[in-house]
Amino acid sequence: MGNSWLRPLSPAPRDGSHKLVCFPHAGGSAISFGPLAECVGAEYEVLAVQYPGRQDRRREPLVGNISDLVDGLLPELIEAVGGAQDFSLFGHSMGSVVAFEACGRLEHELGATARVLFASGRRAPSAPLPELRMHLLSDRELGEHLLRFGGTPRALLEDPEFRELILSIVRNDYRAIETYECSTDAMVSSPIVALVGDSDPDASLAEIEVWGSHTSGSFFAKSFPGGHFFIDSNCGPIGLLIRDHCARALSS
């Protein structure tokens, strides 16, 4: 794969298949979207972004801000969707912001508009950040936070080597999202579908509804049972929601 940014998560695409590009959460990797790729269905070509510094890109330096992440992945993203009229973007947590920025860049630089931008588990881009900055926590505090948040196996955090690796990646990604700034009038033309877990400590339904102010297209918000990683336990319903909204966009 080299330093490729995109990983295929579905079988070889069929002609006319809809591309769905997924953007991982802070500390996450492309493979985290494997279950969702299966739930979306064979008529979708699912690709996921692999950020530098993790898994098969672990020897590459981490990227510490959102703008540089988008700069890095954009050429490959343009190549992947440039000739496709039927593509959508799905981001979870930090990935929602990366997807939003990439969506805007595709519109402005390529004239390519995603059929749908799915923003999962993240407050709107222009929302003020909480006073507590996670990337400034001590290693102990950050590790405890990850355990409370879910998504990181305790066994990995108890292994000294894996713990150091995980904390360095998560701290870097938190720094990127906690230093990101977005104006209230930043806008994309793609319809936005915002999703949240009903017990997510990092975002509420009211907070994700502000995503509606960042699109000139249609907007829809929905909550699912669960915490920050609600997509893991709601894969089937979310796959159905993706298919439904992409189909609506294709027919409009």
Side-chain angles (χ1 to χ4, degrees), residues 30-243:
I31 197 62
S32 65
F33 287 107
L36 184 61
E38 292 185 9
C39 290
V40 169
E43 66 271 29
Y44 286 79
E45 179 188 358
V46 183
L47 305 169
V49 175
Q50 186 78 301
Y51 304 134
R54 59 212 77 197
Q55 294 194 333
D56 56 341
R57 301 188 71 184
R58 62 187 177 277
R59 291 184 174 85
E60 298 176 50
L62 296 166
V63 178
N65 67 74
I66 300 299
S67 179
D68 286 349
L69 271 179
V70 177
D71 286 344
L73 70 90
L74 196 65
E76 195 169 330
L77 186 60
I78 287 174
E79 184 178 351
V81 307
Q85 293 299 312
D86 298 333
F87 74 93
S88 295
L89 308 178
F90 186 106
H92 181 64
S93 195
M94 181 186 83
S96 295
V97 170
V98 183
F100 174 74
E101 289 292 329
C103 188
R105 294 280 295 274
L106 287 171
E107 289 183 5
H108 293 124
E109 299 183 22
L110 190 64
T113 302
R115 294 289 186 176
V116 187
L117 170 61
F118 296 93
S120 167
R122 180 70 198 175
R123 298 178 301 278
S126 59
L129 288 168
E131 292 185 8
L132 178 62
R133 298 292 190 264
M134 297 298 176
H135 76 275
L136 298 177
L137 296 177
S138 67
D139 283 355
R140 179 186 60 79
E141 292 170 327
L142 186 56
E144 291 173 351
H145 161 75
L146 292 179
L147 289 176
R148 290 193 303 270
F149 225 43
T152 307
R154 180 180 292 273
L156 292 182
L157 288 173
E158 290 176 346
D159 180 288
E161 184 176 351
F162 279 111
R163 177 184 176 85
E164 181 179 1
L165 177 63
I166 291 168
L167 292 183
S168 66
I169 293 172
V170 170
R171 190 182 302 281
N172 172 85
D173 291 356
Y174 275 154
R175 182 185 301 110
I177 195 62
E178 290 175 352
T179 56
Y180 167 79
E181 295 182 355
C182 175
S183 66
T184 56
D185 58 357
M187 192 82 64
V188 296
S189 58
S190 298
I192 293 180
V193 174
L195 314 174
V196 71
D198 59 9
S199 57
D200 187 344
D202 200 46
S204 66
L205 181 59
E207 287 173 318
I208 69 162
E209 286 177 340
V210 184
W211 276 97
S213 66
H214 290 283
T215 176
S216 59
S218 63
F219 175 71
F220 178 82
K222 182 176 177 61
S223 66
F224 289 85
H228 190 63
F229 292 98
F230 68 95
I231 60 174
D232 295 340
S233 55
N234 293 278
C235 184
I238 292 174
L240 181 61
L241 178 142
I242 290 171
R243 294 195 300 272

